[in-house]
């Protein structure tokens, strides 16, 4: 299978008043076309930093990152990015937020926006403004907007972290539906172990200080997955064991 993302010997440091902080250390990771990969690890291990490097939002690093066989030299429409906050324009309706700077008068854009509204299950809310939407609905608008230009990869930085447990569970199911329907390669950063097992083809477990890949766990459970199943709990335990020493240090994990 063709790789959408290739990360080779990537290291990253931040300068501060005391010198520099080594955040990422010689990361190697390959993500296949159409794969759903989750990155999990303790606070400060560089998960979100890595996502920003892939997105091209920070180019001050060592090593190589390729998306679709093209070296990352900055932001690109090939890489969609979803933040924890939906970041919708409050003065635009759902359909106009999705279309962004493209005109809905263009028949192709109109059709694509309509298809995405159906995909994220927001029919009937095309004319609604962000203030009229729930947090979960707003994140679905943000996901649809990121998918408009058919990115090769969708990067999600804890997109459901600010939502309540019920909404979060519902959005996880919605994201899985979007992934299965659209076949977009996805890389998700999360603190939620259940979320990682529920969604992922593979879970990348990171260690910190500096951030390194500690383990990669293939989640060999057929979809749809049941959180109460024995196999689900077994994979959950495997990931917990990889993170166990950090949990004992009272790191913040959703378990």
């Amino acid at each position: 299978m063709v790789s959408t993302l290739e990360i080779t010997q990537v290291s990253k440091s931040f300068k501060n008043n005391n010198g520099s902080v080594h955040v990422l250390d010689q990361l190697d990771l390959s993500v296949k076309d159409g794969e759903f990969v989750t990155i999990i690890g303790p606070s400060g291990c560089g998960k979100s930093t890595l996502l920003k490097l892939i997105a091209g939002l920070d180019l001050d690093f060592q090593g190589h990152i390729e998306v679709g066989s093209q070296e990352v030299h900055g932001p690109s429409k090939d890489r969609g990015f979803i933040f924890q906050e939906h970041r919708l324009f409050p003065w635009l309706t759902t359909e106009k937020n999705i279309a962004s700077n493209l005109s809905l008068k263009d028949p192709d854009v109109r059709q694509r926006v309509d298809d995405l509204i159906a995909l994220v299950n927001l029919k009937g809310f095309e004319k609604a403004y962000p203030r009229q939407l729930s947090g979960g609905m707003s994140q679905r608008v943000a996901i649809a907007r990121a998918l408009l230009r058919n990115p090769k990869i969708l990067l999600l930085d804890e997109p459901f972290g600010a939502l309540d447990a019920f909404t979060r569970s519902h959005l996880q199911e919605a994201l899985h539906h979007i992934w299965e329907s659209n076949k977009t390669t996805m890389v998700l950063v999360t603190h939620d172990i259940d979320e990682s097992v529920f969604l992922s083809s593979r879970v990348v477990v990171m260690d910190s200080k500096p951030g390194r890949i500690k383990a990669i766990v293939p989640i060999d459970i057929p979809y749809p997955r049941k959180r109460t199943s024995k196999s689900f709990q077994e994979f959950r335990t495997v990931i917990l064991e990889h993170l166990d020493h950090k949990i004992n240090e009272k790191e913040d994990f959703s378990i």
Side-chain angles (χ1 to χ4, degrees), residues 7-10 24-29 50 206 211-213:
I7 297 170
T8 308
Q9 292 290 288
V10 165
L24 298 173
D25 185 54
Q26 297 187 335
L27 267 63
D28 290 301
L29 179 65
L50 177 60
M206 289 187 64
R212 297 187 177 102
I213 293 176

Side-chain angles (χ1 to χ4, degrees), residues 22-50:
H22 196 32
V23 180
L24 298 173
D25 185 54
Q26 297 187 335
L27 267 63
D28 290 301
L29 179 65
S30 178
V31 178
K32 303 300 183 185
D33 187 30
E35 193 175 14
F36 197 127
V37 169
T38 297
I39 301 174
I40 193 167
S43 297
C45 72
K47 303 183 299 295
S48 293
T49 297
L50 177 60

Side-chain angles (χ1 to χ4, degrees), residues 93 125 127-134 137-138:
T93 62
F125 293 92
K127 307 296 184 183
Y129 289 90
R131 66 179 180 275
Q132 298 169 312
L133 303 175
S134 68
M137 294 168 75
S138 295

Side-chain angles (χ1 to χ4, degrees), residues 10 13 40 42 57 69 90 149 164 186 194 220-221 236 240:
V10 165
S13 297
I40 193 167
L57 300 176
S69 299
R149 290 174 171 81
D164 63 85
M186 296 193 183
D194 281 10
D220 188 20
I221 309 174
R236 185 176 181 275
L240 273 169

